[in-house]
Amino acid sequence: MKFGVVVFPGSNCEHDAYYVLKKVLSAEVFYIWHKETSLRLFDAIILPGGFSYGDYLRAGAVARFSPVMKEIVEYAKDGGPVLGICNGFQILLEAGLLPGALIANAGLRFLCQDVFLKVGSTDSAFTKTYTEGQVLKMPIAHYHGNYFADEEVLKCLQDEDRIAFQYSSAEGDISEQYNPNGSKLNIAGIFNENKNVLGMMPHPERAAEKILSSEDGLGIFKSLLENN
Amino acid sequence: MWKAKIVVTYKSGILDPEAKTIQHALGNLGYRHIENVEAGRYFVIDFDASLSKDQAENLTKEMCAKILSNPVIQKYSYNLEEVNS
């Protein structure tokens, strides 16, 4: 199974994702420069975190027009798995591959901390190694992570079981006090209609080894590996 | 030559934490009678002399919808001004 990790000017988590796949899980993984226009070689694509194009205009707004994005839209339409982490999530939203938008955190602070996440749907190529309602610990590191969508979209996400992760307490309580950034419904990650695209603000690649205090993020990469 | 002056702000109903913080700060400074504050982005785009007003306007609208604003959360308005080259 071949993973591709896309690199935009200003990405800064690409090596973490590469490292987890290559060193922790012994998978085959390649970097994809944002000017590439062929993705057929890959079995899964990861859009890593960072500050593509300096977050100018809006986070992800410029990266979304990189040459590789046209291919990624096609790749996703054909059912290829695409995981967007943090800035990657912002890019997927700007590209219209996922609904809604991410605005500035409610507290207007850059948040860099561990959070607890309750797993929503386990019925996906990214989350099948988890159990429904399982609580994961992962770090967040963002300023624009406040998920917004209108009521219609939120209802649709709920009805179609497309909420992947919600901010919660260590016990899995999803109430406002455990919402770090003001996201609607405490949303930390969502799927597209076919559940082959996942966007999430927390960083699973930074929670993939014991020394990093949590291995809870590994499940996402293991799920992808199990697809083959 | 035409110049487009574009303002992008959040749609009503979307709580913009930046605008709320500015409103709060104005209140702290003693400014009363403020009911609402909006914050946004301002762009000035100078077109070259080959474009007619209609062409400049169409391009402005296209750019606003495509990249300068995110229609999920933002709205835009613009003014076109004729300037001497």
Side-chain angles (χ1 to χ4, degrees), chain B residues 22-55:
Chain B
I22 294 165
Q23 183 171 350
H24 190 68
L26 290 170
N28 285 346
L29 286 171
Y31 291 103
R32 303 285 169 243
H33 316 293
I34 294 175
E35 285 202 338
N36 190 42
V37 172
E38 275 184 63
R41 298 288 294 265
Y42 178 57
F43 307 92
V44 178
I45 296 177
D46 294 315
F47 294 105
D48 68 29
S50 71
L51 292 193
S52 69
K53 186 181 180 186
D54 279 355
Q55 287 171 321

Side-chain angles (χ1 to χ4, degrees), chain B residues 57-73:
Chain B
E57 179 154 16
N58 286 338
L59 271 185
T60 301
K61 281 187 198 165
E62 187 183 314
M63 291 186 296
C64 283
K66 193 171 179 179
I67 180 165
L68 297 179
S69 76
N70 178 342
V72 176
I73 47 175

Side-chain angles (χ1 to χ4, degrees), chain A residues 8 28 33 41 47 54 62 66 68 71 78 91-92 106 128 135 153 159-160 181 183 188-189 196-197 215:
Chain A
F8 297 95
E28 235 186 316
W33 182 234
L41 187 70
L47 301 185
V62 182
S66 272
V68 75
E71 279 301 306
D78 291 345
I91 296 168
L92 291 174
K128 63 183 172 195
V135 177
V153 169
D159 291 350
E160 294 176 4
N181 54 20
S183 292
N196 65 307
V197 178
E215 296 176 292

Side-chain angles (χ1 to χ4, degrees), chain A residues 115-118 135 166-174 178 186:
Chain A
V115 292
F116 292 105
L117 302 173
K118 189 169 185 177
V135 177
Q166 284 166 293
Y167 300 109
S168 74
S169 69
E171 290 75 39
D173 175 16
I174 304 166
Y178 304 112
N186 285 34

Side-chain angles (χ1 to χ4, degrees), chain A residues 57-58 61-62 64-65 94 100-106 108 143 146 148, chain B residues 10 13-18 21 41 43 66-70 72-74:
Chain A
L57 195 57
R58 293 178 306 280
V62 182
R64 169 249 186 288
F65 291 103
E94 282 284 341
L102 289 156
I103 60 176
N105 294 338
L108 281 182
Y143 183 80
N146 180 351
F148 173 85
Chain B
Y10 284 98
I14 293 179
L15 189 70
D16 174 8
E18 200 166 345
T21 302
R41 298 288 294 265
F43 307 92
K66 193 171 179 179
I67 180 165
L68 297 179
S69 76
N70 178 342
V72 176
I73 47 175
Q74 295 170 317

